[in-house]
Amino acid sequence: MPNTPSTAAAAKHASLLSPLPLFFVLLWSSGFIVAKFGLPYAPPLTFLVLRFLGVLLFLVPAVVLLKAPWPRGRIWQIAVAGLLVQAGYLIGVWCAIKLGMPAGLSALIVGMQPILTAFAAPLIGEKVRPRQWLGLVFGLGGVALVVAAKIKLVGLSTDAILLCVLALLSMTAGTLYQKRYCPHFDLRTGTVIQFAASLVVVLPLAIIFEGWTPEFAAVQWTPRFVGALLWSVMGLSIGAIFLLFALIRRSDATQVTSLLYLTPPTTAVMAWLMFGEAFNALGMAGMALAVMGVIFVVKKTR
């Protein structure tokens, strides 16, 4: 059958989107590195207030200048998705790490998201095939192998564990909610809505629990902190989130969340390169198993 203009355009569009999963994994994986750089110099909620403000200071003028369209009739749904994906997830992970949760263990707990998403997939009309279930199990096993050597339970508080579980549940619920109720919206204005809603929630918490003041007196403005803040705004809250939303638009929720299995192995490699942290043969085997699991989940059947 000859290619029509529409099919040719679709093929070109698909080829342009193909690098998105790789870029998303690389950006998303840098989140724990940013935490290691930034959290010693600011309380977690205060850091998130600065992060959300930075996103709005960058995107609001861009939205005005580019005359980006605002969504009609879905603002509340987009805001709710943002509260779950942004505020709930980041509060849980960052506060847990601040309380002493090892990055490896937090990655393992949050790494349960693909399994939870698969169980909940029927709620949004998606079906998980047997091969995908096998891939999800492989991926979880790979994540466990990667972080096994880094997990330390000595001195770990119940609060830190509960916060990490909160992050897991919030991110899973947010992904499913957005996929069902508001998968399509302008990324620029939609992101403004989500981070504005998240700031409204996080700011009072920072005032209550961290004594936040407009002067940001608790922040140490070191070069390392400023670098971590800038990367969290541009690389994570704008770059990674834009890619996540683009992936949610074009793929099943289970396929998108399965990419998170690649986060702990990628973070481990980054930590090895940047901080000299150990990355042994067990970790390499876990990375290979996680990659195999993701391939099982995302590969299309003919």
Side-chain angles (χ1 to χ4, degrees), residues 232-271:
S232 70
V233 170
M234 303 304 298
L236 296 171
S237 291
I238 294 179
I241 292 299
F242 271 37
L243 292 177
L244 174 63
F245 292 169
L247 291 168
I248 290 175
R249 286 181 177 183
R250 72 175 184 133
S251 304
D252 290 344
T254 301
Q255 292 177 315
V256 174
T257 56
S258 71
L259 295 172
L260 299 182
Y261 278 152
L262 301 179
T263 298
T266 306
T267 301
V269 172
M270 290 179 176

Side-chain angles (χ1 to χ4, degrees), residues 172-189:
T172 304
T175 303
L176 293 169
Y177 183 92
Q178 183 162 319
K179 180 66 178 180
R180 178 167 184 176
Y181 294 105
C182 50
H184 300 287
F185 54 82
D186 186 280
L187 294 180
R188 297 159 296 183
T189 52

Side-chain angles (χ1 to χ4, degrees), residues 2-9:
N3 286 336
T4 64
S6 59
T7 56

